Amino acid sequence: TSFKSIVKEGEIDNTLEIVLRNVSNQPKDLQAIYKGYIRILSPRTSLFEKVLLNKSTPEEVSPELITSFGRTEAGIYFEVNPQEEVSIKFAWKLPKELDFSKSGQFIFFWRKQAGTLEDPVSVKFVFPSGVSLVLDPPTLIDQGEFGYNTLLSKDFKSMISW
């Protein structure tokens, strides 16, 4: 599972890709199909694109969009047959006038689903070069990319200030 946020002066581009594998050896008719619903919560002004479902045949799906309580929720229902893998990729933009010459803050929160095991995740934030950043927690993944790259065992919160 990976999340990437590219922060620019006029917008924030986000992508989230989740890969799921159904390891069941049971035939489909024995109800071994993995069924699920994934929902992304983002600020109200977020603009979601179609969701890319990559399985045996790739397809684009329009997410169900709900706006309430100052946020936009985008979700899709999906199924994974036994011994198959599916990649689910969300992409959305958040129009935001950011002025990096003035102090500001970027807050990211990933709520881990209760009752599930640790999941390997990668969270990356990319900011314009030359911007002085303070990270909490302090991390550096690669040149110019900050984030988190390990097992997600609890909720993850990152605050980046400039």
Side-chain angles (χ1 to χ4, degrees):
T1 301
S2 65
F3 172 83
K4 187 170 187 177
S5 187
I6 301 173
V7 181
K8 306 181 238 182
E9 293 272 344
E11 67 185 11
I12 301 171
D13 294 336
N14 301 290
T15 56
L16 173 68
E17 183 172 15
I18 300 168
V19 178
L20 300 167
R21 179 161 179 72
N22 184 338
V23 296
S24 174
N25 290 318
Q26 300 295 321
K28 285 191 247 182
D29 60 340
L30 291 180
Q31 306 211 354
I33 298 172
Y34 177 58
K35 301 173 183 180
Y37 189 87
I38 295 178
R39 180 185 350 232
I40 308 298
L41 281 65
S42 190
R44 179 181 289 269
T45 56
S46 297
L47 304 170
F48 281 86
E49 300 172 11
K50 288 190 175 185
V51 177
L52 180 60
L53 283 174
N54 270 323
K55 7 192 218 181
S56 54
T57 305
E59 65 177 299
E60 289 186 339
V61 177
S62 295
E64 175 186 18
L65 297 174
I66 299 171
T67 303
S68 63
F69 301 108
R71 66 178 181 243
T72 296
E73 300 178 12
I76 63 158
Y77 170 81
F78 64 91
E79 295 183 357
V80 185
N81 291 322
Q83 296 298 307
E84 287 187 355
E85 183 175 276
V86 63
S87 164
I88 304 167
K89 187 173 184 179
F90 285 84
W92 68 100
K93 295 180 185 307
L94 177 60
K96 196 76 174 166
E97 290 304 320
L98 299 172
D99 184 352
F100 293 109
S101 67
K102 298 177 182 174
S103 61
Q105 190 175 58
F106 178 89
I107 300 173
F108 174 82
F109 185 76
W110 186 317
R111 175 162 290 158
K112 181 187 175 303
Q113 181 176 342
T116 62
L117 300 174
E118 298 175 328
D119 293 312
V121 300
S122 170
V123 178
K124 294 181 182 179
F125 308 106
V126 180
F127 282 80
S129 60
V131 176
S132 179
L133 301 172
V134 176
L135 299 113
D136 181 20
T139 55
L140 174 64
I141 293 178
D142 199 0
Q143 189 66 27
E145 293 187 352
F146 304 91
Y148 180 85
N149 191 1
T150 190
L151 293 175
L152 183 68
S153 59
K154 60 183 182 177
D155 293 348
F156 172 71
K157 181 178 182 181
S158 181
M159 296 188 319
I160 303 172
S161 304
W162 58 88

